[in-house]
Amino acid sequence: MNKKVLIDEKTLDERVSELAEEINRDFAGEKLIVVGVLKGAFMFMSDLLKKINLDTEVYFLKAESYGRGTETSGTVKITKDIEADIAGENVLLVEDIIDSGFTMREVIGLLGQRNPKTLKLASCLSKPSRRECEIDIDYLGFEIPDEFVIGYGLDYAEKYRNLPYIGYIEQ
Ligand code: IMP
Ligand code: MG
């Protein structure tokens, strides 16, 4: 299998810096609860956090969607929840990619019910052409075409998460 680069390391780093600057500006002087969605978001979240200079707390949740192969089914289950009470807090959700939007609809619905002061979404990638439900992305890295991507946290059958770039597999 031949791996091709879609977004290289330097481009990712520069965009992550821009997003972090925006977040630092938007939440200046405030506390921010950063919630990563496992597993795909771990690398983007780690790079983003290193550039955030706010008072933060870090948590993870895990959302799994039950579908076939690379397609989501729309049935999303939260299989690991955060440990923190987020009522009255600024919450930043961090996700790897918004595809159909089903996962984020579920996660935003769940956290939204807990009365956070603000609930914002940062996503490294978005595939707008695949959207099934509307999702507002407050801090978006890159829009990409309808191509199955790997690396920088994203997997294909649990492989390739460690690649430092966003790539795709040429058939
Ligand atoms: P959604 O619920 O369809 O928006 O799917 C979001 C989840 O599907 C992401 O968090 C990823 O885990 C996974 N996903 C969607 N597209 C890709 C891709 O191109 N590569 C790897 N994982 C993907
Ligand atoms: Mg994911």
Side-chain angles (χ1 to χ4, degrees):
M1 284 211 275
N2 206 1
K3 296 194 292 291
K4 292 275 187 188
V5 178
L6 183 67
I7 306 170
D8 67 23
E9 236 180 304
K10 181 166 175 285
T11 309
L12 281 167
D13 183 65
E14 286 168 357
R15 187 68 189 123
V16 171
S17 295
E18 289 173 357
L19 295 178
E21 263 174 50
E22 258 188 80
I23 293 165
N24 286 332
R25 223 181 302 127
D26 291 353
F27 294 96
E30 301 205 41
K31 178 180 152 195
L32 187 63
I33 306 259
V34 183
V35 177
V37 183
L38 291 172
K39 299 180 206 170
F42 79 93
M43 205 175 279
F44 171 54
M45 184 181 187
S46 152
D47 283 350
L48 191 64
L49 276 169
K50 282 184 270 182
K51 297 171 194 274
I52 288 179
N53 57 24
L54 306 165
D55 173 14
T56 61
E57 284 181 25
V58 175
Y59 300 95
F60 291 97
L61 62 75
K62 187 160 192 185
E64 290 177 61
S65 71
Y66 296 91
R68 284 161 284 114
T70 60
E71 298 287 320
T72 43
S73 63
T75 314
V76 178
K77 225 174 117 183
I78 310 295
T79 54
K80 182 208 176 303
D81 202 346
I82 55 172
E83 301 84 13
D85 178 6
I86 58 167
E89 305 281 2
N90 296 306
V91 177
L92 178 68
L93 260 170
V94 181
E95 175 62 306
D96 52 357
I97 185 166
I98 315 294
D99 187 29
S100 68
F102 288 138
T103 305
M104 271 310 105
R105 184 178 63 181
E106 197 68 24
V107 172
I108 289 167
L110 177 80
L111 297 186
Q113 287 167 11
R114 299 179 183 172
N115 304 313
K117 181 178 171 194
T118 60
L119 179 56
K120 303 281 181 189
L121 172 62
S123 182
C124 183
L125 305 172
S126 173
K127 284 185 203 168
S129 62
R130 303 245 317 158
R131 204 73 89 249
E132 303 268 351
C133 52
E134 206 188 310
I135 300 290
D136 260 351
I137 309 173
D138 303 283
Y139 307 98
L140 173 63
F142 304 89
E143 279 193 355
I144 60 166
D146 182 9
E147 188 85 62
F148 194 82
V149 289
I150 52 166
Y152 202 61
L154 292 111
D155 73 307
Y156 173 66
E158 293 303 325
K159 285 183 71 178
Y160 310 115
R161 292 193 196 272
N162 60 316
L163 297 177
Y165 57 86
I166 305 279
Y168 60 96
I169 294 162
E170 203 179 47
Q171 304 296 340

mmCIF file with all atom_site columns, all heavy atoms in Angstrom, residues 143-156:
data_model
loop_
_atom_site.group_PDB
_atom_site.id
_atom_site.type_symbol
_atom_site.label_atom_id
_atom_site.label_alt_id
_atom_site.label_comp_id
_atom_site.label_asym_id
_atom_site.label_entity_id
_atom_site.label_seq_id
_atom_site.pdbx_PDB_ins_code
_atom_site.Cartn_x
_atom_site.Cartn_y
_atom_site.Cartn_z
_atom_site.occupancy
_atom_site.B_iso_or_equiv
_atom_site.pdbx_formal_charge
_atom_site.auth_seq_id
_atom_site.auth_comp_id
_atom_site.auth_asym_id
_atom_site.auth_atom_id
_atom_site.pdbx_PDB_model_num
ATOM 1   N N   . GLU A 1 143 ? -10.481 21.969 5.666  1.00 0.00 ? 143 GLU A N   1
ATOM 2   C CA  . GLU A 1 143 ? -11.526 21.248 4.945  1.00 0.00 ? 143 GLU A CA  1
ATOM 3   C C   . GLU A 1 143 ? -10.822 20.350 3.942  1.00 0.00 ? 143 GLU A C   1
ATOM 4   O O   . GLU A 1 143 ? -9.899  20.786 3.257  1.00 0.00 ? 143 GLU A O   1
ATOM 5   C CB  . GLU A 1 143 ? -12.425 22.228 4.183  1.00 0.00 ? 143 GLU A CB  1
ATOM 6   C CG  . GLU A 1 143 ? -13.450 22.854 5.069  1.00 0.00 ? 143 GLU A CG  1
ATOM 7   C CD  . GLU A 1 143 ? -14.550 23.583 4.286  1.00 0.00 ? 143 GLU A CD  1
ATOM 8   O OE1 . GLU A 1 143 ? -14.470 23.675 3.048  1.00 0.00 ? 143 GLU A OE1 1
ATOM 9   O OE2 . GLU A 1 143 ? -15.478 24.054 4.954  1.00 0.00 ? 143 GLU A OE2 1
ATOM 10  N N   . ILE A 1 144 ? -11.273 19.094 3.870  1.00 0.00 ? 144 ILE A N   1
ATOM 11  C CA  . ILE A 1 144 ? -10.647 18.171 2.916  1.00 0.00 ? 144 ILE A CA  1
ATOM 12  C C   . ILE A 1 144 ? -11.720 17.526 2.037  1.00 0.00 ? 144 ILE A C   1
ATOM 13  O O   . ILE A 1 144 ? -12.889 17.467 2.419  1.00 0.00 ? 144 ILE A O   1
ATOM 14  C CB  . ILE A 1 144 ? -9.808  17.071 3.625  1.00 0.00 ? 144 ILE A CB  1
ATOM 15  C CG1 . ILE A 1 144 ? -10.686 16.231 4.577  1.00 0.00 ? 144 ILE A CG1 1
ATOM 16  C CG2 . ILE A 1 144 ? -8.630  17.675 4.362  1.00 0.00 ? 144 ILE A CG2 1
ATOM 17  C CD1 . ILE A 1 144 ? -10.024 14.949 5.040  1.00 0.00 ? 144 ILE A CD1 1
ATOM 18  N N   . PRO A 1 145 ? -11.311 17.033 0.874  1.00 0.00 ? 145 PRO A N   1
ATOM 19  C CA  . PRO A 1 145 ? -12.281 16.350 0.010  1.00 0.00 ? 145 PRO A CA  1
ATOM 20  C C   . PRO A 1 145 ? -12.687 14.992 0.594  1.00 0.00 ? 145 PRO A C   1
ATOM 21  O O   . PRO A 1 145 ? -12.105 14.538 1.582  1.00 0.00 ? 145 PRO A O   1
ATOM 22  C CB  . PRO A 1 145 ? -11.519 16.168 -1.307 1.00 0.00 ? 145 PRO A CB  1
ATOM 23  C CG  . PRO A 1 145 ? -10.083 16.324 -0.967 1.00 0.00 ? 145 PRO A CG  1
ATOM 24  C CD  . PRO A 1 145 ? -9.987  17.162 0.264  1.00 0.00 ? 145 PRO A CD  1
ATOM 25  N N   . ASP A 1 146 ? -13.658 14.361 -0.019 1.00 0.00 ? 146 ASP A N   1
ATOM 26  C CA  . ASP A 1 146 ? -14.161 13.069 0.446  1.00 0.00 ? 146 ASP A CA  1
ATOM 27  C C   . ASP A 1 146 ? -13.157 11.968 0.113  1.00 0.00 ? 146 ASP A C   1
ATOM 28  O O   . ASP A 1 146 ? -13.284 11.268 -0.880 1.00 0.00 ? 146 ASP A O   1
ATOM 29  C CB  . ASP A 1 146 ? -15.521 12.783 -0.203 1.00 0.00 ? 146 ASP A CB  1
ATOM 30  C CG  . ASP A 1 146 ? -16.089 11.467 0.290  1.00 0.00 ? 146 ASP A CG  1
ATOM 31  O OD1 . ASP A 1 146 ? -15.516 10.885 1.231  1.00 0.00 ? 146 ASP A OD1 1
ATOM 32  O OD2 . ASP A 1 146 ? -17.097 11.018 -0.277 1.00 0.00 ? 146 ASP A OD2 1
ATOM 33  N N   . GLU A 1 147 ? -12.179 11.863 0.984  1.00 0.00 ? 147 GLU A N   1
ATOM 34  C CA  . GLU A 1 147 ? -11.069 10.913 0.807  1.00 0.00 ? 147 GLU A CA  1
ATOM 35  C C   . GLU A 1 147 ? -10.825 10.330 2.191  1.00 0.00 ? 147 GLU A C   1
ATOM 36  O O   . GLU A 1 147 ? -10.843 11.076 3.169  1.00 0.00 ? 147 GLU A O   1
ATOM 37  C CB  . GLU A 1 147 ? -9.861  11.731 0.350  1.00 0.00 ? 147 GLU A CB  1
ATOM 38  C CG  . GLU A 1 147 ? -8.640  10.963 -0.074 1.00 0.00 ? 147 GLU A CG  1
ATOM 39  C CD  . GLU A 1 147 ? -8.708  10.527 -1.533 1.00 0.00 ? 147 GLU A CD  1
ATOM 40  O OE1 . GLU A 1 147 ? -8.777  11.392 -2.423 1.00 0.00 ? 147 GLU A OE1 1
ATOM 41  O OE2 . GLU A 1 147 ? -8.706  9.308  -1.745 1.00 0.00 ? 147 GLU A OE2 1
ATOM 42  N N   . PHE A 1 148 ? -10.634 9.028  2.307  1.00 0.00 ? 148 PHE A N   1
ATOM 43  C CA  . PHE A 1 148 ? -10.376 8.448  3.631  1.00 0.00 ? 148 PHE A CA  1
ATOM 44  C C   . PHE A 1 148 ? -8.929  8.726  4.013  1.00 0.00 ? 148 PHE A C   1
ATOM 45  O O   . PHE A 1 148 ? -8.001  8.324  3.325  1.00 0.00 ? 148 PHE A O   1
ATOM 46  C CB  . PHE A 1 148 ? -10.661 6.947  3.662  1.00 0.00 ? 148 PHE A CB  1
ATOM 47  C CG  . PHE A 1 148 ? -10.715 6.427  5.063  1.00 0.00 ? 148 PHE A CG  1
ATOM 48  C CD1 . PHE A 1 148 ? -11.880 6.550  5.823  1.00 0.00 ? 148 PHE A CD1 1
ATOM 49  C CD2 . PHE A 1 148 ? -9.598  5.860  5.661  1.00 0.00 ? 148 PHE A CD2 1
ATOM 50  C CE1 . PHE A 1 148 ? -11.918 6.116  7.144  1.00 0.00 ? 148 PHE A CE1 1
ATOM 51  C CE2 . PHE A 1 148 ? -9.632  5.412  6.978  1.00 0.00 ? 148 PHE A CE2 1
ATOM 52  C CZ  . PHE A 1 148 ? -10.795 5.543  7.712  1.00 0.00 ? 148 PHE A CZ  1
ATOM 53  N N   . VAL A 1 149 ? -8.743  9.467  5.103  1.00 0.00 ? 149 VAL A N   1
ATOM 54  C CA  . VAL A 1 149 ? -7.391  9.903  5.480  1.00 0.00 ? 149 VAL A CA  1
ATOM 55  C C   . VAL A 1 149 ? -6.872  9.164  6.718  1.00 0.00 ? 149 VAL A C   1
ATOM 56  O O   . VAL A 1 149 ? -7.654  8.647  7.525  1.00 0.00 ? 149 VAL A O   1
ATOM 57  C CB  . VAL A 1 149 ? -7.329  11.433 5.704  1.00 0.00 ? 149 VAL A CB  1
ATOM 58  C CG1 . VAL A 1 149 ? -7.457  12.182 4.392  1.00 0.00 ? 149 VAL A CG1 1
ATOM 59  C CG2 . VAL A 1 149 ? -8.382  11.902 6.708  1.00 0.00 ? 149 VAL A CG2 1
ATOM 60  N N   . ILE A 1 150 ? -5.559  9.147  6.823  1.00 0.00 ? 150 ILE A N   1
ATOM 61  C CA  . ILE A 1 150 ? -4.881  8.457  7.922  1.00 0.00 ? 150 ILE A CA  1
ATOM 62  C C   . ILE A 1 150 ? -3.786  9.362  8.483  1.00 0.00 ? 150 ILE A C   1
ATOM 63  O O   . ILE A 1 150 ? -3.399  10.345 7.853  1.00 0.00 ? 150 ILE A O   1
ATOM 64  C CB  . ILE A 1 150 ? -4.224  7.142  7.432  1.00 0.00 ? 150 ILE A CB  1
ATOM 65  C CG1 . ILE A 1 150 ? -3.341  7.435  6.194  1.00 0.00 ? 150 ILE A CG1 1
ATOM 66  C CG2 . ILE A 1 150 ? -5.271  6.066  7.139  1.00 0.00 ? 150 ILE A CG2 1
ATOM 67  C CD1 . ILE A 1 150 ? -2.399  6.313  5.824  1.00 0.00 ? 150 ILE A CD1 1
ATOM 68  N N   . GLY A 1 151 ? -3.290  9.000  9.657  1.00 0.00 ? 151 GLY A N   1
ATOM 69  C CA  . GLY A 1 151 ? -2.159  9.705  10.249 1.00 0.00 ? 151 GLY A CA  1
ATOM 70  C C   . GLY A 1 151 ? -2.582  10.839 11.155 1.00 0.00 ? 151 GLY A C   1
ATOM 71  O O   . GLY A 1 151 ? -3.748  11.216 11.194 1.00 0.00 ? 151 GLY A O   1
ATOM 72  N N   . TYR A 1 152 ? -1.610  11.375 11.930 1.00 0.00 ? 152 TYR A N   1
ATOM 73  C CA  . TYR A 1 152 ? -1.862  12.468 12.871 1.00 0.00 ? 152 TYR A CA  1
ATOM 74  C C   . TYR A 1 152 ? -3.037  12.107 13.784 1.00 0.00 ? 152 TYR A C   1
ATOM 75  O O   . TYR A 1 152 ? -3.943  12.884 14.015 1.00 0.00 ? 152 TYR A O   1
ATOM 76  C CB  . TYR A 1 152 ? -2.125  13.767 12.095 1.00 0.00 ? 152 TYR A CB  1
ATOM 77  C CG  . TYR A 1 152 ? -1.881  15.014 12.897 1.00 0.00 ? 152 TYR A CG  1
ATOM 78  C CD1 . TYR A 1 152 ? -0.618  15.297 13.423 1.00 0.00 ? 152 TYR A CD1 1
ATOM 79  C CD2 . TYR A 1 152 ? -2.904  15.928 13.139 1.00 0.00 ? 152 TYR A CD2 1
ATOM 80  C CE1 . TYR A 1 152 ? -0.396  16.447 14.169 1.00 0.00 ? 152 TYR A CE1 1
ATOM 81  C CE2 . TYR A 1 152 ? -2.690  17.084 13.881 1.00 0.00 ? 152 TYR A CE2 1
ATOM 82  C CZ  . TYR A 1 152 ? -1.433  17.339 14.388 1.00 0.00 ? 152 TYR A CZ  1
ATOM 83  O OH  . TYR A 1 152 ? -1.217  18.482 15.133 1.00 0.00 ? 152 TYR A OH  1
ATOM 84  N N   . GLY A 1 153 ? -3.049  10.848 14.232 1.00 0.00 ? 153 GLY A N   1
ATOM 85  C CA  . GLY A 1 153 ? -4.104  10.369 15.131 1.00 0.00 ? 153 GLY A CA  1
ATOM 86  C C   . GLY A 1 153 ? -5.158  9.518  14.459 1.00 0.00 ? 153 GLY A C   1
ATOM 87  O O   . GLY A 1 153 ? -5.792  8.681  15.102 1.00 0.00 ? 153 GLY A O   1
ATOM 88  N N   . LEU A 1 154 ? -5.350  9.736  13.159 1.00 0.00 ? 154 LEU A N   1
ATOM 89  C CA  . LEU A 1 154 ? -6.419  9.007  12.459 1.00 0.00 ? 154 LEU A CA  1
ATOM 90  C C   . LEU A 1 154 ? -5.930  7.642  11.977 1.00 0.00 ? 154 LEU A C   1
ATOM 91  O O   . LEU A 1 154 ? -4.795  7.500  11.533 1.00 0.00 ? 154 LEU A O   1
ATOM 92  C CB  . LEU A 1 154 ? -6.923  9.804  11.256 1.00 0.00 ? 154 LEU A CB  1
ATOM 93  C CG  . LEU A 1 154 ? -7.668  11.073 11.620 1.00 0.00 ? 154 LEU A CG  1
ATOM 94  C CD1 . LEU A 1 154 ? -6.878  12.298 11.227 1.00 0.00 ? 154 LEU A CD1 1
ATOM 95  C CD2 . LEU A 1 154 ? -9.029  11.096 10.957 1.00 0.00 ? 154 LEU A CD2 1
ATOM 96  N N   . ASP A 1 155 ? -6.828  6.683  12.046 1.00 0.00 ? 155 ASP A N   1
ATOM 97  C CA  . ASP A 1 155 ? -6.438  5.313  11.721 1.00 0.00 ? 155 ASP A CA  1
ATOM 98  C C   . ASP A 1 155 ? -7.198  4.735  10.542 1.00 0.00 ? 155 ASP A C   1
ATOM 99  O O   . ASP A 1 155 ? -8.266  5.223  10.144 1.00 0.00 ? 155 ASP A O   1
ATOM 100 C CB  . ASP A 1 155 ? -6.717  4.397  12.923 1.00 0.00 ? 155 ASP A CB  1
ATOM 101 C CG  . ASP A 1 155 ? -8.223  4.146  13.096 1.00 0.00 ? 155 ASP A CG  1
ATOM 102 O OD1 . ASP A 1 155 ? -8.979  5.139  13.156 1.00 0.00 ? 155 ASP A OD1 1
ATOM 103 O OD2 . ASP A 1 155 ? -8.640  2.972  13.148 1.00 0.00 ? 155 ASP A OD2 1
ATOM 104 N N   . TYR A 1 156 ? -6.622  3.674  10.011 1.00 0.00 ? 156 TYR A N   1
ATOM 105 C CA  . TYR A 1 156 ? -7.380  2.761  9.153  1.00 0.00 ? 156 TYR A CA  1
ATOM 106 C C   . TYR A 1 156 ? -7.186  1.403  9.815  1.00 0.00 ? 156 TYR A C   1
ATOM 107 O O   . TYR A 1 156 ? -6.051  0.924  9.907  1.00 0.00 ? 156 TYR A O   1
ATOM 108 C CB  . TYR A 1 156 ? -6.844  2.767  7.713  1.00 0.00 ? 156 TYR A CB  1
ATOM 109 C CG  . TYR A 1 156 ? -7.506  1.716  6.860  1.00 0.00 ? 156 TYR A CG  1
ATOM 110 C CD1 . TYR A 1 156 ? -8.871  1.814  6.569  1.00 0.00 ? 156 TYR A CD1 1
ATOM 111 C CD2 . TYR A 1 156 ? -6.805  0.621  6.393  1.00 0.00 ? 156 TYR A CD2 1
ATOM 112 C CE1 . TYR A 1 156 ? -9.504  0.837  5.821  1.00 0.00 ? 156 TYR A CE1 1
ATOM 113 C CE2 . TYR A 1 156 ? -7.429  -0.361 5.641  1.00 0.00 ? 156 TYR A CE2 1
ATOM 114 C CZ  . TYR A 1 156 ? -8.786  -0.248 5.361  1.00 0.00 ? 156 TYR A CZ  1
ATOM 115 O OH  . TYR A 1 156 ? -9.412  -1.219 4.629  1.00 0.00 ? 156 TYR A OH  1
#
